Amino acid sequence: MRIAVAMSGGVDSSVAALLLKEEGHEVVGLSMQLWDHSSEPGRTGRCCTADDLSDARRVAWALDVPHYVLDLEREFAASVVRPFVESYLAGNTPIFGICLGHQLVGLALGGKTYKLKFGHHGGNHPVRQERTGKIEITAHNHNFAVDPDSLKQSEVEMTHFDLNDGTLEGLRHRTMPLFTVQYHPEASPGPHDSHYLFGDFVKMMQEWKS
């Protein structure tokens, strides 16, 4: 069977190509160029980067499989980048910010951040979800926090607070599909106390799907 493998030069695609060839399949390596960032400071070539394409070519050569580069820059811009930017600027793109994402969203909403006297690091940080009053055991790794008093209460709901020092640990916009947490729910220190957030994000994406 002839099988096309999307090759980036990384381990996963390289191993997949190797295993398929060992199974007797006719493997063809494909890489994509999606946008031109040659004009950006400190960057050269197009995505995938020149290094990625070079790595993919070397892997294909080592496996003795043909390798082709697909120039999809125009198609990618028209079908992916432009619709995403338009939707994002209109406030219609669901966003789930985590850690630094929480702080960036806070700043974007007109808030301010401040440096903590003692940063939050490691596991076992108790955080209260304001809607339910439930306590989540969370993992932290941050030295700054968003000042809740700097945010407009009419636009932003404060959803989570740290029980150790009272810092803001979560927020949700009242009209746009946007919520954030300062801690790391993917770290699972609870171990599952905060997994509902991912379900909330999936639900939000479904509700805002155009």
Side-chain angles (χ1 to χ4, degrees):
M1 179 183 296
R2 194 180 194 194
I3 300 177
V5 177
M7 300 185 70
S8 64
V11 173
D12 291 347
S13 60
S14 302
V15 171
L18 172 63
L19 294 177
L20 288 169
K21 184 176 182 183
E22 289 181 343
E23 289 292 323
H25 298 291
E26 180 184 355
V27 176
V28 177
L30 300 177
S31 298
M32 297 183 293
Q33 290 184 159
L34 300 180
W35 71 85
D36 186 353
H37 54 56
S38 58
S39 62
E40 298 177 26
R43 309 191 94 182
T44 58
R46 300 196 298 179
C47 179
C48 298
T49 67
D51 288 343
D52 292 334
L53 295 177
S54 178
D55 290 343
R57 289 191 188 98
R58 281 198 294 268
V59 171
W61 177 81
L63 297 179
D64 192 26
V65 301
H67 177 257
Y68 302 96
V69 177
L70 306 179
D71 188 344
L72 300 177
E73 182 180 334
R74 291 184 179 179
E75 293 83 350
F76 187 71
S79 62
V80 178
V81 177
R82 192 173 302 120
F84 173 79
V85 171
E86 292 173 353
S87 176
Y88 185 83
L89 292 177
N92 297 326
T93 300
I95 296 174
F96 176 17
I98 294 176
C99 196
L100 180 59
H102 167 79
Q103 296 176 25
L104 292 175
V105 167
L107 292 171
L109 294 176
K112 297 179 180 179
T113 61
Y114 63 95
K115 186 175 177 59
L116 295 167
K117 183 176 181 179
F118 300 102
H120 294 188
H121 303 284
N124 297 322
H125 288 264
V127 168
R128 182 180 65 240
Q129 183 190 162
E130 294 302 296
R131 286 186 177 182
T132 65
K134 291 183 177 180
I135 309 302
E136 304 170 26
I137 300 302
T138 62
H140 293 206
N141 188 30
H142 60 98
N143 292 308
F144 288 78
V146 176
D147 180 2
D149 294 331
S150 66
L151 297 168
K152 294 182 180 180
Q153 301 286 330
S154 60
E155 298 179 0
V156 182
E157 175 189 356
M158 314 302 160
T159 59
H160 298 75
F161 282 93
D162 189 293
L163 294 185
N164 288 331
D165 59 9
T167 54
L168 179 66
E169 291 291 335
L171 60 85
R172 178 184 292 267
H173 198 275
R174 296 187 186 278
T175 59
M176 294 190 294
L178 165 64
F179 69 89
T180 71
V181 290
Q182 178 66 78
Y183 53 94
H184 288 271
E186 80 284 359
S188 303
H192 305 305
D193 294 6
S194 305
H195 279 194
Y196 69 91
L197 291 166
F198 298 102
D200 288 350
F201 186 51
V202 170
K203 182 180 179 181
M204 177 183 286
M205 288 189 289
Q206 293 171 339
E207 291 175 346
W208 285 79
K209 185 177 181 180
S210 57

